[in-house]
Amino acid sequence: KIPNFPPIVQVEIFQVGDEFFGIMRANILKTHPFDEETVFDVLGVGHMASGMTVLDLDRLIFPRSPIRDRQKRLAIVVHTFWGPFTLVVLKSLGDFVVSMKDPGELFLDLQTIAGVSVLGDGSLVSIIYLDTLIKRAWERTKSFQLGKTNPS
């Protein structure tokens, strides 16, 4: 019988608020400083001059976090099922090869979490499903625009 080993994946780890999240490296097209003047709505969704949609990862994951329009941040252009998007984060910790564990029942209701990993210093990293996260962002934006939900 072959043992069920956890998958080994390459992720780029980012700081979002005070926590760390990983995005599968295969989804990332490029990373660069975010220096464009972008006005984000209350849900953290904005549009760049190029027309690309930009999502503030802080606001998507932690809806009550402040909008940091003028703070130095990092832009990550990612490929998703719906096309390219730019995600904005505080900073990158770099590329890591991690052993991704099943998030288990603790994260059963959070469909945006693909797995969890532990870094060498003991920090937990949640590996996120980009497609599900972006789908939730669009659903929240549409509901908010129709007046059905409160963003916080």
Side-chain angles (χ1 to χ4, degrees):
K1 186 175 180 181
I2 299 173
N4 187 14
F5 289 107
I8 306 296
V9 294
Q10 184 175 5
V11 297
E12 187 153 349
I13 298 176
F14 302 99
Q15 182 177 354
V16 179
D18 294 331
E19 297 185 30
F20 300 108
F21 290 85
I23 297 174
M24 302 267 188
R25 193 68 184 121
N27 289 99
I28 299 174
L29 300 175
K30 70 178 181 176
T31 303
H32 58 85
F34 183 69
D35 52 9
E36 187 163 336
E37 288 290 324
T38 301
V39 177
F40 293 98
D41 66 17
V42 294
L43 297 173
V45 179
H47 298 282
M48 296 170 51
S50 64
M52 187 177 291
T53 300
V54 57
L55 305 167
D56 186 337
L57 210 54
D58 276 331
R59 295 287 294 172
L60 287 180
I61 295 175
F62 304 111
R64 294 175 193 255
S65 67
I67 297 175
R68 299 179 175 101
D69 280 333
R70 305 221 189 304
Q71 185 175 348
K72 282 190 178 180
R73 293 184 291 166
L74 195 62
I76 310 131
V77 181
V78 294
H79 172 73
T80 70
F81 178 77
W82 292 276
F85 284 85
T86 297
L87 303 176
V88 179
V89 298
L90 285 176
K91 67 180 181 180
S92 171
L93 299 180
D95 278 341
F96 290 83
V97 175
V98 298
S99 173
M100 188 168 69
K101 310 288 187 203
D102 182 358
E105 292 185 23
L106 181 63
F107 295 105
L108 198 56
D109 293 337
L110 299 176
Q111 298 172 349
T112 57
I113 304 294
V116 178
S117 189
V118 181
L119 297 182
D121 66 356
S123 301
L124 289 177
V125 175
S126 300
I127 313 300
I128 57 177
Y129 281 127
L130 283 178
D131 292 331
T132 307
L133 183 72
I134 290 171
K135 179 181 175 190
R136 281 187 50 210
W138 283 124
E139 288 170 353
R140 282 181 34 200
T141 300
K142 287 179 186 176
S143 294
F144 179 71
Q145 289 171 345
L146 295 173
K148 294 180 180 176
T149 62
N150 184 337
S152 54

